[in-house]
Amino acid sequence: MWFIIGAILSFSVTIWVYALKNPKYNGKLPKGSMGFPFVGESTQFFAPNPSFDLSPFIKHRILKYGPIFKTRLVGKPLIISADAELNHIIFQKEEELFECWYPETFRKIFGVKSVGSLHGFMHKYLKNMITNVFGIESLKNMISEVEVTSTTRLKKWASHNDIVELKDEIANMIFDLSAKRLISYDPEKCGENMRENFVAFIQGLISFPIDIPGTSYHKCLQGRKRVMRMLENILKERQQNPREQQVDYFDFVIQELKKDGTPLTQQVALDLIFLLLFASHETTSIALTLAIKFLTDHPHVLNQLTAEHEGILKKRKNKSDKISWNEYKSMTFTFKFMNETLRLANIAPGIFRRALRDVEFKGYTIPEGWAVMVCPPAIHLDPKAFADPLAFNPWRWDEEQRCDGASKNFMAFGGGIRFCIGADFAKLQMAVFLHHLVTNYKLKPIKGGNIVRTPGVQFPDGFHVQILNKD
Ligand code: HEM
Ligand SMILES: *[C@@H]1O[C@H](CO)[C@@H](O)[C@H](O)[C@H]1NC(C)=O
Ligand SMILES: *[C@@H]1O[C@H](CO)[C@@H](O)[C@H](O)[C@H]1NC(C)=O
């Protein structure tokens, strides 16, 4: 029980105030238990779950209270929604009935001026700035860079029959690629390994916010400090020695900072680059690692995926060409495979909002000011939405088999105006990497590959594999 005591001691004053004074409301709250004072039901919420199935915390409460229930996590009353219809309303009525709101942990880690904390005009403005680097038009120019990165790494991993820890290697690969785009980061030249600072991130983000050495939350905060220092130094240096040409995304942001009447401030700019450095690799690398794990577990899926990619090569006139945008768009089975991977991966265990006013739904009231957590796994693993939900079955995404409302039931990238801006970038990287993996290499799992959710997904033993040339 030491961590409960630790948690109580380290809670900030604001959280105490929240806990002591629940917001006022009229109407009927959803059912549910608020657990112990202050701690609420946090220990159950954060209990490790070593499976692809819904965590017992959510499962038991849905059975007991229905798909919309209240609880208290780290001092904050919260309504959890496992109801597809309510989730849809929450996404569609962003800034009208609900607004993006993330727990204190997020704001401490991403900064108070990050995309998730900004609303209305500033949110739109930042979204446009991000689309400039990760939007479709930009991706069309990036495809060959993604391809070169994939082929170089695969070649390296296969070259001396070494055992490779895939999760980490993939995260490094994706980080190097996007950090090069964003800040011209070069791991060879940079004295400090920037990626290391992001290692504990997924665990730390949705974790018990105890800021003492050893906790993932603490590691997260330390990581943020170091990365922010590096970014501040780059900014200072570039402001002192302005570059003629725009080489990376940071140059673009600095140009924007200089414009007359720009809404961008230095703090917003730094928080933006920081968020993109994180978001662009940690999520995608988990998804790609799991995709490969699913391929090793399901040979018939691997066969069909290989057939699709060999088909693309057969049709290609000039064998030394790179993957074209049209070829990428033609990878239909790959897209089903990626959807299925993301459905089971449940990389985002919760998407947080706050009610802007009292919201009535199915006889319950979500009181103004209360936090709401959309729970994507509860929908992704609901047999009514996806038959036999624990089965890995990419064919369920076939047109003729897909049940109605498939898109309402699939929220791996969120929904509404906050839909993930990097979704296309993530898919492009996964598809291009898989193309080269399945056409040129065989994979031999050695050990690891198991997951645990706390509730952010981790690979406690890594995923160690050998990558062998096909012939
Ligand atoms: C498989 C990989 C990914 C998954 C599962 C994922 C998931 C998500 C989810 C669920 C949201 C919605 C959050 C909310 O509504 O509060 C989101 C938003 C966002 N994602 Fe991703 N993401 C992925 C990859 C990426 C990449 C590669 C980037 C960067 C380029 C990125 C950048 C963002 C940004 C900037 C937002 C905030 C959008 C906003 O608030 O308007 N994501 N992501
Ligand atoms: C195939 O592409 C390569 C490089 O893009 C080029 O050098 C070569 O001439 C092309 N071959 C044919 C037959 O078009
Ligand atoms: C994957 O999911 C998205 C979102 O629901 C959907 O629009 C898309 O059609 C799906 N892709 C395939 C190939 O089924």
Side-chain angles (χ1 to χ4, degrees), residues 303-323 327 330-331 435 438-440 470:
N303 286 344
Q304 169 119 20
L305 195 73
T306 310
E308 172 160 288
H309 289 280
E310 282 174 349
I312 288 172
L313 292 181
K314 260 190 217 114
K315 267 199 238 143
R316 196 180 280 171
K317 296 213 175 66
N318 187 336
K319 301 296 172 204
S320 47
D321 276 356
K322 299 209 156 182
I323 300 176
E327 283 173 346
S330 78
M331 299 174 179
H435 173 83
V438 301
T439 50
N440 295 313
K470 253 191 170 168

Side-chain angles (χ1 to χ4, degrees), residues 52 290-301 392 445 449 463:
F52 284 99
L290 272 176
I292 296 168
K293 165 83 173 119
F294 288 135
L295 286 180
T296 59
D297 288 346
H298 303 279
H300 60 299
V301 177
F392 184 82
F463 184 29

Side-chain angles (χ1 to χ4, degrees), residues 27-201:
K28 190 171 140 214
L29 277 174
K31 289 185 230 161
S33 136
M34 303 300 274
F36 296 110
F38 315 124
V39 195
E41 301 192 298
S42 310
T43 39
Q44 295 99 311
F45 180 78
F46 293 117
N49 167 26
S51 85
F52 284 99
D53 203 355
L54 198 54
S55 76
F57 172 86
I58 304 281
K59 214 178 199 173
H60 292 160
R61 279 162 187 74
I62 292 176
L63 283 176
K64 200 161 162 195
Y65 307 121
I68 303 167
F69 57 89
K70 66 172 185 291
T71 180
R72 190 203 317 265
L73 296 181
V74 285
K76 181 97 176 126
L78 174 75
I79 287 170
I80 295 187
S81 167
D83 183 292
E85 213 181 309
L86 178 58
N87 293 345
H88 190 68
I89 294 172
I90 293 171
F91 288 140
Q92 296 312 312
K93 302 280 176 182
E94 171 97 29
E95 295 188 356
E96 192 186 323
L97 297 181
F98 296 91
E99 70 174 9
C100 195
W101 171 90
Y102 274 87
E104 198 60 19
T105 49
F106 276 71
R107 269 169 294 160
K108 284 247 172 71
I109 293 166
F110 286 136
V112 285
K113 296 285 185 208
S114 84
V115 182
S117 308
L118 296 169
H119 310 284
F121 170 76
M122 267 319 270
H123 172 244
K124 241 185 250 143
Y125 171 78
L126 283 185
K127 238 173 89 161
N128 279 334
M129 284 201 59
I130 302 172
T131 308
N132 184 286
V133 59
F134 292 122
I136 290 280
E137 285 317 308
S138 178
L139 293 183
K140 285 183 184 167
N141 300 319
M142 232 200 275
I143 186 165
S144 69
E145 205 176 320
V146 174
E147 188 168 13
V148 171
T149 308
S150 303
T151 50
T152 324
R153 298 288 165 127
L154 277 165
K155 207 167 173 184
K156 188 172 140 217
W157 300 336
S159 63
H160 23 244
N161 285 349
D162 279 352
I163 293 171
V164 173
E165 200 286 281
L166 262 190
K167 163 64 187 41
D168 218 40
E169 290 291 341
I170 288 178
N172 273 325
M173 169 181 84
I174 294 180
F175 182 80
D176 291 351
L177 176 78
S178 35
K180 185 170 161 224
R181 270 262 150 173
L182 291 168
I183 58 171
S184 300
Y185 174 71
D186 182 344
E188 313 279 298
K189 290 200 193 112
C190 187
E192 227 175 312
N193 183 340
M194 197 175 217
R195 224 278 292 176
E196 266 170 14
N197 295 310
F198 288 100
V199 164
F201 257 65

Side-chain angles (χ1 to χ4, degrees), residues 29 146 169-170 184 202 236 242 253 272 277 289 312 384 433:
L29 277 174
V146 174
E169 290 291 341
I170 288 178
S184 300
I202 290 262
K236 223 180 283 159
V253 171
L272 173 67
L277 280 172
T289 307
I312 288 172
K384 287 195 290 298
F433 183 88

Side-chain angles (χ1 to χ4, degrees), residues 332-352:
T332 49
F333 183 73
T334 310
F335 283 104
K336 291 173 199 168
F337 169 73
M338 291 193 288
N339 271 12
E340 185 66 351
T341 298
L342 290 163
R343 180 184 72 82
L344 277 175
N346 284 310
I347 290 166
I351 297 176
F352 290 84

